[in-house]
């Protein structure tokens, strides 16, 4: 047996000179353990053929190699032939065993035989240099291709993660077998991995399991590491089988001469290559009429191209791309524009459209609703409900997760926990789980105290010593339960302001345009006081931001009147302010530079009202997460003790708990509020009025937010 296994080792080394050491040992272990069960080369091929094919890069002669391995196992020798050892050989004459034995004993010098039963040949350990170079060239080409494939297709917009690192405690053999076997499952399972950012440990010995076809919502507090985890997956720095395609919505598309619709269609690389080949073949057939052989060959290939185009439904691709763009707010005119003509927000939408059109096996979305108005958010919800592949989305929009997610992954305390159901079910399940854990811990503590009291009382009593000893042993066997660790609640508080006599803020028949003939707002009348809670809604491009700038005084009306109380102080929150916070200053230094003259303790107190406490107040602003930057902007905004708050998408990047705290803070605030947001839950909890911007006018929506949502859903039915 040992000689047979050694022969198989020689065969493997000769045929696969660059085989990995772990993989080589794994294959030889299989051959050794199953040597008695292998009856043909096909049996060996079923056991290790797929692994050898992955090493060789081709399946052409694998079955021959398996036959050679069987010969080595059964005959304890290898002569390079591929004759099937399972066939019986017909002898031409009887074999006289006695004479063979005498001959063997008399010679004693035959180096090729060790017995009359086994023929032993010298093992050829010299590697063919040409074959070795060819194998190494194939492996290098494969490695280069894999390196290109694993480059991030798109980079996530947000903070740099150059200092992020991940480690995974899984063996090379497990990874190779998972990716090289015949089982091409599109599930993702990453076990026992660590994730860190700079010196911070984000995850420790965590497990992540993504079942193909399910939609996962990744939730957790701001700064916990959700974006870093998404980025690691998109870069394949955590092990994901190579046959699983990954796409992540990232930075905005670069502007060039390409039309918007064509930019989306170009994502289908196979379709584009086939169409290019079709054009080349058509020109070849038309220009090669004299060369009948070339024309016939081109015609045959053209038929194959047409068949493949029909198979992938290439003719339906423009309609599908146009439908996705329309759902994200692109009009027919905008779809024909060049990408360089789009603003940054629309280029982000285009990046989302390109990703949705590509349909990767694993789609990663990091706050996709931040760039969308409510109509586009509702369309995206509807579209993702029919998503055929795996989805993992980071979102703090509770309504969005309730509509889309089939599972919730909760990232906290350096671990990941998965819950079945949408976000509402997650909250119920997690609350129940934590309650049960706390009850179990408290019950065990009471039991411990009872046992300990008995032991302390009777351990030195001769009559009760045995009972005390048994209680002591029971006490030692109790599992070590830990109390439930709950994240501290988020509390936001806007400062009190003095009462102003109305009217506070008013627009009367205001008209505004940037260019003559292109009216943005036409005869708008709006009045607000310190009791106002107004939600400003409408599709992108309908003038919401222009209206806010008119109220702030950054723009002047072309006609009409704008009135503001002479003592009115307005606090303005803009998402652009958050994006522009890239300073090396700490939040403490930043607030001191903008509002000098106060004691450091006052600055810390102000930052603390918005959750920027402890070490967080001393870290560079550029290293903070988007939600943490939003809190810094709120702290800066409220330093003037405003009488009125104008908020433009304040929930972007905020986690669920902070959004809830923001709603409570706005409800308790003594001043007026005008807010632009796509967060349905926040609007319902805070706002008393809904004003809709559409077609150059601003009108009060009767029926409130419910009526506005119904109006949008009716419009989506036509898409």
């Amino acid at each position: 047996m040992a000689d047979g296994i050694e022969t198989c080792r020689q065969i493997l080394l000769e045929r696969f000179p660059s085989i990995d050491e772990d993989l080589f040992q794994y294959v030889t272990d299989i051959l050794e353990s199953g040597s008695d069960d292998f009856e043909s080369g096909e049996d060996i091929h079923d056991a290790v053929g797929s692994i050898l094919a992955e090493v060789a890069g081709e399946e052409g002669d694998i079955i021959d190699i398996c036959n050679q391995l069987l010969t080595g196992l059964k005959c304890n020798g290898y002569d390079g032939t591929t004759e099937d050892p399972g066939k019986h050989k017909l002898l031409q004459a009887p074999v006289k065993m006695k004479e063979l034995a005498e001959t063997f004993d008399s010679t004693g010098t035959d180096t090729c035989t060790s017995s009359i039963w086994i023929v032993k040949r010298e093992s050829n350990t010299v590697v063919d240099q040409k074959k070795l170079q060819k194998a190494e060239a194939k492996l290098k080409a494969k490695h280069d291709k894999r390196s290109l494939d694993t480059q991030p297709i798109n980079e996530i917009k947000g903070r740099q993660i150059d200092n992020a690192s991940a480690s995974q405690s899984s063996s090379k053999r497990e990874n190779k077998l998972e990716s090289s076997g015949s089982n091409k499952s599109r599930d993702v399972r990453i076990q026992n991995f660590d994730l860190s950012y700079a010196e911070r440990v984000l995850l420790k010995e965590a497990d992540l399991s993504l079942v193909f076809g399910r939609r996962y919502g990744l939730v957790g507090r701001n700064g916990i590491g959700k974006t870093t985890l998404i980025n690691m997956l998109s870069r394949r720095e955590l092990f994901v089988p190579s046959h699983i395609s990954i796409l992540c919505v990232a930075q905005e598309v670069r502007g060039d001469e390409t039309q918007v619709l064509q930019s989306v269609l170009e994502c289908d690389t196979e379709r584009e290559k086939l169409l290019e080949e079709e054009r080349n073949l058509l020109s070849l057939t038309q220009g090669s009429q004299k060369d009948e052989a070339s024309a016939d060959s081109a015609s045959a290939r053209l038929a194959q191209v047409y068949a493949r185009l029909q198979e992938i439904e290439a003719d339906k691709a423009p309609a599908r791309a146009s439908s996705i763009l329309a759902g994200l707010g692109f009009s027919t005119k905008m779809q024909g524009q060049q990408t360089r003509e789009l603003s940054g927000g629309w280029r982000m939408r285009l990046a989302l459209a390109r990703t949705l059109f590509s349909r990767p096996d694993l789609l990663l979305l990091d706050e996709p609703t931040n760039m969308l108005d409510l109509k586009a958010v509702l369309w995206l919800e509807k579209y993702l409900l029919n998503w055929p592949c795996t989805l993992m989305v980071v979102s703090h929009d509770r309504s969005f997760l309730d509509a889309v997610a089939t599972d919730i992954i909760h990232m906290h305390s350096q671990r990941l926990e998965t819950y079945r159901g949408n976000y509402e079910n997650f909250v119920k399940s997690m609350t129940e789980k934590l309650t049960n854990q706390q009850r179990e811990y408290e019950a065990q503590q009471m039991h411990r105290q009872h046992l300990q009291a008995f032991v302390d009382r009777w351990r030195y009593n001769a009559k009760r010593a045995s009972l005390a000893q048994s209680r002591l042993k029971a006490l030692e066997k109790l599992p070590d339960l830990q109390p439930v660790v709950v994240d501290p609640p988020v509390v936001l508080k806007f400062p009190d302001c003095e009462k102003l006599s109305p009217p506070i803020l008013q627009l009367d028949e205001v008209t505004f345009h940037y260019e003559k003939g292109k009216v943005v707002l036409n005869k708008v009348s709006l009045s607000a006081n310190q009791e106002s809670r107004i939600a400003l809604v409408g599709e992108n491009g309908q003038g919401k931001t222009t209206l806010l700038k008119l109220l702030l005084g950054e723009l002047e009306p072309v006609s009409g009147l704008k009135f503001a109380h002479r003592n009115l102080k307005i606090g303005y929150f803009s998402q652009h302010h958050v994006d522009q916070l890239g300073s090396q200053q700490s939040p403490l230094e930043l607030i001191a530079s903008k509002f000098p003259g106060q004691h450091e303790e006052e600055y810390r107190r102000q930052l603390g009202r918005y959750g920027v406490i402890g070490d967080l107040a001393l870290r560079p602003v550029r290293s903070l997460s988007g939600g943490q930057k939003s809190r810094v902007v709120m702290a800066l905004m409220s330093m003037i003790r405003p009488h009125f708050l104008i908020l433009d998408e304040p929930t972007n990047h905020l986690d669920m708990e902070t959004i809830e705290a923001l709603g409570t803070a706005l409800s308790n605030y003594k001043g007026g509020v005008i807010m632009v947001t796509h967060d349905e839950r926040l609007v319902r909890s805070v706002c008393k009025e809904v004003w809709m911007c559409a077609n150059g006018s601003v009108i009060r929506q009767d029926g409130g937010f419910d009526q506005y949502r119904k109006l949008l859903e009716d419009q989506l039915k036509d898409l």
Side-chain angles (χ1 to χ4, degrees), residues 380-421:
L380 184 61
E381 288 180 5
K382 182 179 178 182
Y383 188 86
L384 291 178
L385 286 177
N386 298 316
W387 186 254
C389 306
T390 309
L391 169 68
M392 186 174 180
V393 55
V394 174
S395 178
H396 299 132
D397 189 330
R398 184 164 181 168
S399 300
F400 180 79
L401 289 179
D402 280 338
V404 172
T406 61
D407 303 83
I408 296 295
I409 300 175
H410 187 206
M411 188 173 182
H412 71 107
S413 304
Q414 298 182 351
R415 65 181 187 270
L416 299 172
E417 292 186 357
T418 303
Y419 296 80
R420 279 297 183 96

Side-chain angles (χ1 to χ4, degrees), residues 221 410 412-415 417 419 430 433-435 437-438 441 481-489:
R221 289 287 180 94
H410 187 206
H412 71 107
S413 304
Q414 298 182 351
R415 65 181 187 270
E417 292 186 357
Y419 296 80
M430 184 182 66
K433 176 182 176 181
L434 294 179
T435 302
Q437 286 181 353
Q438 186 64 25
Y441 172 76
L481 298 181
Q482 299 296 326
V484 174
V485 178
V486 180
D487 292 330

Side-chain angles (χ1 to χ4, degrees), residues 299-487:
S299 298
R301 175 55 187 163
L302 190 59
Q304 296 176 354
V305 170
Y306 284 143
R308 181 56 183 164
L309 286 171
Q310 185 176 4
E311 182 180 349
I312 65 175
E313 297 183 336
D315 57 324
K316 298 180 181 179
R320 186 163 67 90
S322 180
S323 175
I324 293 174
L325 288 169
L328 293 174
F330 288 87
S331 64
T332 305
K333 179 182 178 182
M334 292 181 67
Q335 293 181 28
Q337 289 181 340
Q338 296 177 352
T339 56
R340 61 182 175 83
E341 299 176 11
L342 300 179
S343 64
W346 285 104
R347 291 184 189 178
M348 287 296 297
R349 292 194 184 203
L350 178 57
L352 177 58
R354 286 164 57 91
T355 306
L356 295 176
F357 181 77
S358 300
R359 288 185 179 176
D361 296 327
L362 175 57
L363 174 60
L364 305 173
L365 299 179
D366 190 6
E367 293 289 357
T369 60
N370 284 357
M371 67 197 85
L372 306 178
D373 54 42
L374 184 59
K375 181 178 179 181
V377 170
L378 294 177
W379 175 88
L380 184 61
E381 288 180 5
K382 182 179 178 182
Y383 188 86
L384 291 178
L385 286 177
N386 298 316
W387 186 254
C389 306
T390 309
L391 169 68
M392 186 174 180
V393 55
V394 174
S395 178
H396 299 132
D397 189 330
R398 184 164 181 168
S399 300
F400 180 79
L401 289 179
D402 280 338
V404 172
T406 61
D407 303 83
I408 296 295
I409 300 175
H410 187 206
M411 188 173 182
H412 71 107
S413 304
Q414 298 182 351
R415 65 181 187 270
L416 299 172
E417 292 186 357
T418 303
Y419 296 80
R420 279 297 183 96
N422 59 12
Y423 189 82
E424 183 178 357
N425 291 334
F426 154 70
V427 172
K428 293 178 181 178
S429 300
M430 184 182 66
T431 303
E432 182 179 355
K433 176 182 176 181
L434 294 179
T435 302
N436 292 337
Q437 286 181 353
Q438 186 64 25
R439 285 176 180 172
E440 185 179 1
Y441 172 76
E442 292 174 354
Q444 190 198 65
Q445 291 300 108
M446 292 179 64
H447 186 50
R448 280 182 180 275
Q449 293 173 5
H450 176 73
L451 293 176
Q452 189 65 48
F454 187 91
V455 170
D456 294 341
R457 182 176 181 182
W458 301 109
R459 70 187 305 172
Y460 299 112
N461 186 295
K463 294 182 180 180
R464 300 288 184 94
S466 60
L467 292 176
Q469 191 67 24
S470 66
R471 299 293 196 282
L472 186 59
K473 290 181 179 179
L475 191 62
E476 293 173 351
K477 291 180 179 179
L478 287 177
D480 186 18
L481 298 181
Q482 299 296 326
V484 174
V485 178
V486 180
D487 292 330

Side-chain angles (χ1 to χ4, degrees), residues 32 38 63 161 183 200 276 309 338 365 417 424 532:
E32 183 175 4
F38 295 138
I63 188 64
I161 65 159
N183 180 22
R200 293 178 57 216
E276 178 65 24
L309 286 171
Q338 296 177 352
L365 299 179
E417 292 186 357
E424 183 178 357
S532 296

